[in-house]
Amino acid sequence: MEGIGHALDDDRSVNLASVFPGNGEMAARCRAFDWASTPLGRVSSWPQSLRTTVGIVLACRNPMFLWWGPELIQIYNDAYRPSFGRSGRHPIALGMPGRECWTEIWPIIGPQIEQVMTTGESTWHEDQLVPIERNGRLEDVWWTYSYSPVFDDDGRIGGTLVVCQETTQRVLAEGRLRAIYDGTFEYIGLLSLDGTLLEANRASLEFIGKSRDAVIGVPFWESPWFAFTSGAPQAVRAGIARAAAGEFVRYESPITRHNGEQRTFDISLHPIRNERGETVFIVAEGRDISERQRLLNALHVERARLAEVFRLAPSFLAVLRGPNHAFELVNEAYYSVIGRRDIVGKPVIEALPEVRQQGFVEILDRVLATGEPFVGREQRLILQRTPDAPPEERYVDFVYQPLTEADGTRSGIVAHGSDVTEQVLARRDIERLLIESEEARAEAESANRVKSEFLAIMSHELRTPLNAIGGYADLIEMGIRGPVTAEQRDDLHRIQMSQRHLLGLINEVLNYAKLETGTVEFDVTEVHMREVLAAAESLVAPQAKAKGLTLAVGDCPPNIVVHTDSEKLRQILVNLLSNAIKFTDKGGRIDMTCLADAKCVYVRVADTGIGIPADKLDAIFDPFVQVRPELTRRHDGTGLGLAISRDLARGMGGDLTVVSTLGRGSHFTLSLPLYAQ
Ligand code: ADP
């Protein structure tokens, strides 16, 4: 207490108001402060340099802080006060030795102050983080400050003056801004007007695979962004020049990534203006649109392909819109059906005026009104396909399908189908030909029937006089009309032979005619093949023997029973055997054999006779065909035997076939089904 009293007393000798001028709080505190209790001693003892500096500090509106003397006794001004926050340091920091006041940050600022005090060199710290205790905790506080030496009256370093500015708010705001642009996937860079890259966000640096230091300060077009892309640097340079002139520039650019990946970028260059409206920076913004581009391209290709399919589809296709059914889309096949092209945009009535009366427009109206599709088959359509030619008839298969929008309204119709004119006309031709051939067949059949009927009548008419000739010849030969000379008897024999031949011929003709007219009836019974073969053999055996031929009938498999007409079967076999005898020379051989499988029985008559020329094998089954007529005259034949036999065989569900070698013999095979059909 004594010291204070003494000091106050003593300091009355100095004008405190001139050392600590002004009305501020700190000036008042300084005036009231007991400086004698500090190593600075009484104010009256202070060197002039300290007094002057304190005056400047207290008067200055910039935060200032002075450390004086080896103990670094503190004096600060009003502008500095808010920096303490609620720390309890103010006002006790006044006159306090620096080391005692700033224990928590002394490791940071201690050496800096020490350096100034010993070397006299000023320091500059920009946005330096100096966490201090205030507001009840250790707070991150950023400062921009300088330490400068203040010299005392003898030119030695007396203290350190701090001129400082707390920049916490700005540093935090900048950090938040950076978080925004580093947090985005877009590529952002800040350029100076000459194109130097000033800043690049995290996404950009990751994309180009470089550190910040490697790209900042480099002209944008020389940056690794473009190192891989030919042509891009010039375009970028031109773009930057335009943006620097205040224009917003936007363009697409191919960019090759550092790993070789090809990308497409949508690049925007935004001119940034100051308050005076002058462009000062350029913000370059890049968006990777490769994926969008790829999808668009794929979509484009897909569309083109679909359009091509639509255009060239073999079916005709048209999309009609609105109540008038205006043509919206039409493919090639449609054009070729209607024979004209200039129809897109026109209502159907206008595009195809000739169909007005043909019911198509009414069908379209109905499909649009009801939503029910319409299917047309072979619909006749009269079209004026060429302006000068007469209207043409076309036939079409088609479907009219309603087109429904997402909201359920019906807005149009798809017509698709095919031109079936050719098919319809071809089918009509075939139908016409079928009818014609049917008529021809019926005509031929009836002509045949007339012929057969004629033959039957004629044969009957001929038989009566022939029988009379035979009868009267027999009477004369018997001598009933008087004695007969040897010469007359010879003549009578000739008459009788001719009469028999003629009668045989007529009988066969009659038989054949019956077959042809379909008037033959088959008397089907169970027939034992063995018995029929034996009967046929016994009938021809005398002839064979007379001609010196060997006739052998093979043993039939036992119990073969056929459901057929036994009389007609025997007639066929006798005919085949007679032919074999007729056309086989003396000493030859004839074999008749019988075989069966699950369905048929086969009787084969084989001879070692003269055989049949290959080109006649088919013809011998035709009526009146004889290979060598002169032989037949000798052999007493008509040329009807095989025709009748085959007709009979077929009439019984079987067939008659031949295999023959000229000069070696013939094999005739009769096949008959085991069961009547
Ligand atoms: P034809 O009354 O003349 O025998 P067919 O219809 O029975 O009449 O025979 C027709 C012709 O087929 C015969 O004229 C003969 O030329 C030929 N032909 C039939 N069978 C034989 C056979 N076994 N060998 C050689 N030729 C045959």
Side-chain angles (χ1 to χ4, degrees):
M1 288 305 286
E2 187 195 347
I4 293 170
H6 174 74
L8 284 173
D9 283 348
D10 184 67
D11 276 347
R12 269 186 218 117
S13 59
V14 292
N15 183 357
L16 286 176
S18 70
V19 180
F20 306 113
N23 303 321
E25 179 191 328
M26 290 316 294
R29 284 189 187 279
C30 283
R31 288 196 291 272
F33 196 78
D34 175 19
W35 294 106
S37 65
T38 73
L40 293 184
R42 289 185 298 272
V43 177
S44 53
S45 68
W46 288 8
Q48 187 53 46
S49 55
L50 175 57
R51 293 183 191 193
T52 310
T53 309
V54 167
I56 293 167
V57 167
L58 290 176
C60 191
R61 304 286 291 273
N62 193 80
M64 281 189 181
F65 203 100
L66 180 69
W67 282 288
W68 195 267
E71 291 82 9
L72 303 171
I73 300 302
Q74 311 182 133
I75 296 170
Y76 54 94
N77 64 4
D78 286 334
Y80 187 85
R81 261 190 304 135
S83 300
F84 286 116
R86 285 180 291 104
S87 63
R89 280 199 173 99
H90 173 72
I92 59 165
L94 185 67
M96 209 180 194
R99 287 178 200 84
E100 285 171 30
C101 179
W102 300 108
T103 44
E104 80 275 24
I105 54 165
W106 204 252
I108 304 172
I109 65 170
Q112 294 170 352
I113 297 168
E114 214 50 58
Q115 194 191 327
V116 176
M117 294 299 281
T118 50
T119 66
E121 270 173 37
S122 299
T123 62
W124 173 250
H125 309 272
E126 206 172 321
D127 293 333
Q128 165 104 36
L129 174 64
V130 187
I132 57 172
E133 253 182 50
R134 66 180 189 188
N135 305 324
R137 61 198 160 94
L138 190 65
E139 248 185 48
D140 280 350
V141 183
W142 284 265
W143 305 85
T144 293
Y145 57 95
S146 66
Y147 288 131
S148 25
V150 182
F151 296 93
D152 68 11
D153 294 354
D154 5 311
R156 283 178 309 188
I157 297 162
T160 298
L161 178 67
V162 179
V163 179
C164 60
Q165 194 78 50
E166 185 181 338
T167 56
T168 307
Q169 292 308 320
R170 187 174 55 73
V171 168
L172 287 180
E174 272 179 17
R176 287 183 197 120
L177 273 179
R178 175 162 276 282
I180 290 172
Y181 79 79
D182 269 349
T184 174
F185 289 118
E186 310 236 328
Y187 306 101
I188 301 171
L190 182 69
L191 312 180
S192 64
L193 297 188
D194 65 1
T196 306
L197 192 62
L198 302 175
E199 273 301 338
N201 74 339
R202 187 192 45 77
S204 314
L205 296 173
E206 277 174 13
F207 182 90
I208 59 182
K210 295 274 177 189
S211 74
R212 194 171 169 278
D213 292 344
V215 290
I216 301 300
V218 175
F220 191 41
W221 52 86
E222 282 172 21
S223 73
W225 280 95
F226 302 104
F228 311 95
T229 312
S230 65
Q234 289 84 324
V236 173
R237 209 169 177 159
I240 287 170
R242 280 164 56 204
E247 193 184 328
F248 169 70
V249 181
R250 186 168 180 182
Y251 59 98
E252 277 180 19
S253 173
I255 287 186
T256 311
R257 211 182 163 183
H258 63 91
N259 58 10
E261 221 178 289
Q262 280 289 348
R263 314 295 296 178
T264 306
F265 267 56
D266 173 1
I267 295 176
S268 307
L269 299 173
H270 306 260
I272 306 296
R273 297 186 178 82
N274 64 11
E275 313 79 60
R276 289 191 298 280
E278 301 154 346
T279 303
V280 281
F281 295 115
I282 298 165
V283 168
E285 180 195 12
R287 201 167 296 142
D288 187 340
I289 54 166
S290 319
E291 197 54 21
R292 203 180 69 193
Q293 202 88 329
R294 200 185 57 75
L295 285 173
L296 276 175
N297 284 346
L299 218 65
H300 194 74
V301 169
E302 180 93 347
R303 254 188 90 104
R305 201 176 294 143
L306 275 177
E308 195 64 358
V309 168
F310 177 83
R311 198 173 70 79
L312 297 176
S315 315
F316 64 71
L317 278 160
V319 175
L320 302 154
R321 278 286 171 205
N324 294 331
H325 319 296
F327 283 101
E328 184 181 80
L329 281 173
V330 181
N331 76 345
E332 286 300 321
Y334 199 94
Y335 287 132
S336 79
V337 172
I338 60 170
R340 74 207 83 174
R341 294 194 81 90
D342 185 23
I343 62 164
V344 170
K346 289 185 189 167
V348 78
I349 284 290
E350 211 178 290
L352 307 170
E354 70 270 34
V355 304
R356 193 185 292 263
Q357 302 301 329
Q358 299 182 39
F360 289 91
V361 183
E362 288 72 12
I363 300 173
L364 286 170
D365 286 343
R366 200 171 64 232
V367 171
L368 202 58
T370 63
E372 289 289 316
F374 180 87
V375 180
R377 286 266 166 266
E378 295 184 3
Q379 295 267 331
R380 187 157 172 268
L381 183 62
I382 308 291
L383 284 168
Q384 186 68 48
R385 299 180 78 237
T386 35
D388 316 321
E392 261 181 67
E393 179 183 57
R394 308 298 293 179
Y395 290 87
V396 283
D397 281 352
F398 67 94
V399 181
Y400 287 157
Q401 262 169 330
L403 278 175
T404 309
E405 299 299 302
D407 65 1
T409 55
R410 280 186 293 280
S411 62
I413 289 172
V414 182
H416 59 97
S418 37
D419 183 341
V420 292
T421 310
E422 305 313 321
Q423 291 94 304
V424 169
L425 295 184
R427 202 187 57 227
R428 291 203 172 162
D429 276 353
I430 290 170
E431 282 166 2
R432 192 172 40 74
L433 285 172
L434 267 176
I435 290 168
E436 278 173 16
S437 78
E438 181 61 27
E439 282 169 1
R441 200 182 61 80
E443 210 170 288
E445 249 178 24
S446 96
N448 212 23
R449 205 165 41 242
V450 169
K451 190 181 77 193
S452 300
E453 277 165 8
F454 169 76
L455 278 174
I457 293 163
M458 281 308 291
S459 303
H460 190 76
E461 293 300 313
L462 285 170
R463 257 198 307 197
T464 316
L466 266 179
N467 280 332
I469 291 169
Y472 284 109
D474 287 350
L475 283 179
I476 294 169
E477 198 204 358
M478 286 156 124
I480 287 171
R481 305 294 182 203
V484 183
T485 67
E487 279 177 333
Q488 284 171 333
R489 192 169 298 277
D490 273 357
D491 290 346
L492 278 174
H493 275 149
R494 287 201 182 91
I495 290 169
Q496 283 167 328
M497 262 177 61
S498 297
Q499 184 266 346
R500 276 201 296 276
H501 176 72
L502 214 49
L503 196 59
L505 183 65
I506 285 164
N507 280 339
E508 290 216 328
V509 167
L510 193 61
N511 276 340
Y512 183 69
K514 268 191 189 163
L515 271 172
E516 284 290 285
T517 48
T519 51
V520 171
E521 284 185 1
F522 294 92
D523 179 14
V524 177
T525 56
E526 277 194 1
V527 178
H528 292 265
M529 286 308 287
R530 193 179 266 186
E531 286 170 15
V532 183
L533 262 59
E537 184 204 3
S538 69
L539 278 174
V540 298
Q543 294 170 46
K545 197 173 173 201
K547 211 175 166 187
L549 300 170
T550 310
L551 173 62
V553 177
D555 199 17
C556 235
N559 307 329
I560 294 193
V561 175
V562 185
H563 290 80
T564 194
D565 182 324
S566 70
E567 189 58 39
K568 301 206 166 57
L569 172 55
R570 200 187 61 213
Q571 190 186 334
I572 297 169
L573 296 179
V574 168
N575 188 26
L576 293 177
L577 288 167
S578 306
N579 278 349
I581 294 164
K582 265 197 278 183
F583 299 108
T584 304
D585 291 334
K586 189 174 165 51
R589 181 183 168 86
I590 294 159
D591 281 285
M592 180 158 68
T593 52
C594 177
L595 282 167
D597 62 19
K599 289 179 184 166
C600 288
V601 62
Y602 305 91
V603 181
R604 196 175 70 170
V605 176
D607 62 54
T608 57
I610 61 171
I612 303 159
D615 62 337
K616 289 287 190 306
L617 282 174
D618 285 336
I620 55 167
F621 292 102
D622 292 337
F624 306 113
V625 170
Q626 299 176 322
V627 177
R628 290 166 69 188
E630 81 283 357
L631 271 183
T632 312
R633 269 192 290 281
R634 204 172 71 208
H635 290 298
D636 187 26
T638 59
L640 276 171
L642 286 178
I644 291 171
S645 297
R646 193 173 69 174
D647 278 359
L648 287 175
R650 288 183 175 171
M652 294 189 289
D655 203 0
L656 180 60
T657 56
V658 64
V659 189
S660 180
T661 312
L662 198 59
R664 305 273 301 269
S666 310
H667 294 182
F668 283 85
T669 304
L670 167 70
S671 58
L672 286 176
L674 282 173
Y675 301 99
Q677 293 172 337

